[in-house]
Amino acid sequence: EVITSLALHKYGITLVNDHLSVHQQLALHPPAQPTHPPAHHPHNASAIDCALYFFIMAEKTLVVNVANCNVKKLDLKAYGVTKQRSFVVVKVGDKEQQTSVGIGLDPTWEETFEFAVGDEATTKCFVKFMMGAEGEEKQIGDVCEYLLNVLVINKPTYKGLIVPGGKVDMMFTAKGFGKEDVEVDDSALFDLLDGGEMVMDDDDEEEQ
């Protein structure tokens, strides 16, 4: 553990807490990324150094779990759908993946996909819902766009794709990028005046 800590320190990473994952540590204390692998610097290279280098330089990842959908209120005739078979298409950057075909108006997929993310500030995720007979699938509703720079690191976040007659349920998880998860202090909501004093109406004061 000491050796690993020293190797991390060489790349500007400080171990915050033992229970934090490496992704969280990198998010809290971004490393100064080296321009060359440690192997190019034989005086300081080691197996740990090389492993850490390639981990640090690895692409950030968006994990998308497509759980299920419910489109029981969809007007099939209005959209020209002749068969209740559907799937979801997810696209991030140049990579596109789709679920298996679900049968019925409320299929369950629980399928997970991973996408490399270069820059979360400019990269977006696009999702669409398809339904119909094989070879005659039609896009139902609009393509929905999701921002990645609002996600919290390592925290699964619910995302819904609203389609005519229902919705698709999904979970997005940012790996290696995202905002730090900070607990919100709601105590301020109970402070009605500076100093935490309660406001009293004139009628209340007269009754006292």
Side-chain angles (χ1 to χ4, degrees), residues 107-184:
T108 296
W109 288 287
E110 289 297 347
E111 297 180 13
T112 301
F113 308 99
E114 295 189 357
F115 299 89
V117 177
D119 181 3
E120 64 272 20
T122 57
T123 303
K124 298 177 182 178
C125 176
F126 300 90
V127 183
K128 62 182 178 181
F129 179 71
M130 307 291 292
M131 176 175 271
E134 186 174 0
E136 301 178 359
E137 295 90 352
K138 305 176 186 297
Q139 179 181 314
I140 307 298
D142 298 326
V143 176
C144 195
E145 175 182 304
Y146 301 89
L147 301 177
L148 304 187
N149 58 358
V150 298
L151 297 174
V152 176
I153 187 169
N154 292 335
K155 182 178 182 179
T157 303
Y158 173 81
K159 298 292 181 180
L161 170 63
I162 303 301
V163 298
K167 64 184 176 69
V168 177
D169 296 323
M170 304 174 291
M171 297 295 287
F172 284 18
T173 306
K175 298 289 186 179
F177 72 94
K179 298 180 178 180
E180 181 182 352
D181 190 6
V182 179
E183 294 184 3
V184 178

Side-chain angles (χ1 to χ4, degrees), residues 4-180:
T4 304
S5 298
L6 291 174
L8 285 168
H9 183 69
K10 290 171 64 175
Y11 294 112
I13 307 172
T14 302
L15 291 176
V16 181
N17 284 311
D18 292 337
H19 70 275
L20 289 178
S21 67
V22 177
H23 282 310
Q24 289 173 310
Q25 293 167 19
L26 293 179
L28 293 174
H29 300 273
Q33 296 185 350
T35 56
H36 300 287
H40 290 183
H41 305 281
H43 295 295
N44 297 319
S46 71
I48 294 177
D49 288 338
C50 291
L52 286 171
Y53 170 83
F54 287 110
F55 180 83
I56 292 169
M57 296 302 289
E59 293 181 312
K60 306 165 187 176
T61 303
L62 172 68
V63 180
V64 178
N65 174 263
V66 181
N68 53 66
C69 84
N70 187 321
V71 290
K72 292 183 177 180
K73 295 183 179 180
L74 175 64
D75 187 341
L76 300 179
K77 291 184 179 180
Y79 284 90
V81 175
T82 59
K83 194 168 183 179
Q84 298 177 11
R85 58 188 302 278
S86 59
F87 57 90
V88 177
V89 180
V90 184
K91 183 178 181 180
V92 178
D94 297 328
K95 185 176 181 180
E96 183 175 281
Q97 299 192 63
Q98 69 179 52
T99 66
S100 58
V101 174
I103 305 301
L105 297 177
D106 58 347
T108 296
W109 288 287
E110 289 297 347
E111 297 180 13
T112 301
F113 308 99
E114 295 189 357
F115 299 89
V117 177
D119 181 3
E120 64 272 20
T122 57
T123 303
K124 298 177 182 178
C125 176
F126 300 90
V127 183
K128 62 182 178 181
F129 179 71
M130 307 291 292
M131 176 175 271
E134 186 174 0
E136 301 178 359
E137 295 90 352
K138 305 176 186 297
Q139 179 181 314
I140 307 298
D142 298 326
V143 176
C144 195
E145 175 182 304
Y146 301 89
L147 301 177
L148 304 187
N149 58 358
V150 298
L151 297 174
V152 176
I153 187 169
N154 292 335
K155 182 178 182 179
T157 303
Y158 173 81
K159 298 292 181 180
L161 170 63
I162 303 301
V163 298
K167 64 184 176 69
V168 177
D169 296 323
M170 304 174 291
M171 297 295 287
F172 284 18
T173 306
K175 298 289 186 179
F177 72 94
K179 298 180 178 180
E180 181 182 352

